[in-house]
Amino acid sequence: HVQLVESGGGSVQAGGSLRLSCAAPGYRYDTYCMGWFRQAPGKAREGIAVIDSDGDTAYAESMKDRFTISVDNAKNTLYLQMNSLKPEDTAMYYCAAAAGYVPISLMLASVPFGFWGRGTQVTVS
């Protein structure tokens, strides 16, 4: 049973930083793909950053200079370091995982990801 549990969200002032974590104790695939998505009220869910077991990453263009995705395989934990936060970054942030390989061209799309966490709220004022 795959369970994804996000943590690390909160309220921060513009220009501040947060580090999100996603614990995935039941997610064990030799070939994996995990990522972060977000959804603001009234807006569509958007991909932020994704990483796979080959170390390939994909970032949303608007966030690649401020956000960094990483994974600790020993801890089965995914991270998202967010710097220089802006009010427009306010959203619910979700961790997602796919059951295997995801083509780079689809990494920022939500469709390939079958496992989702419940989200952690990030509010930037």
Side-chain angles (χ1 to χ4, degrees):
H1 175 67
V2 176
Q3 186 177 16
L4 306 178
V5 181
E6 303 96 335
S7 61
S11 297
V12 65
Q13 291 188 337
S17 298
L18 283 174
R19 187 194 194 202
L20 305 184
S21 299
C22 173
Y27 181 66
R28 300 184 187 282
Y29 290 86
D30 290 337
T31 300
Y32 67 78
C33 187
M34 299 183 72
W36 292 96
F37 294 75
R38 71 183 185 185
Q39 187 166 19
K43 294 188 177 182
R45 184 172 295 184
E46 62 175 333
I48 301 170
V50 177
I51 187 167
D52 70 12
S53 48
D54 290 333
D56 292 328
T57 58
Y59 287 90
E61 190 68 24
S62 62
M63 291 173 266
K64 67 178 184 177
D65 295 330
R66 300 184 295 121
F67 293 1
T68 302
I69 191 170
S70 62
V71 62
D72 185 330
N73 290 312
K75 295 182 179 180
N76 258 46
T77 302
L78 181 73
Y79 302 98
L80 183 69
Q81 178 66 43
M82 304 187 295
N83 299 325
S84 302
L85 284 162
K86 306 174 182 179
E88 50 264 44
D89 293 319
T90 295
M92 185 70 79
Y93 284 67
Y94 298 92
C95 173
Y101 172 77
V102 176
I104 292 178
S105 61
L106 294 178
M107 275 187 174
L108 293 177
S110 60
V111 172
F113 296 88
F115 307 110
W116 291 84
R118 293 187 175 185
T120 185
Q121 177 68 37
V122 172
T123 302
V124 185
S125 58

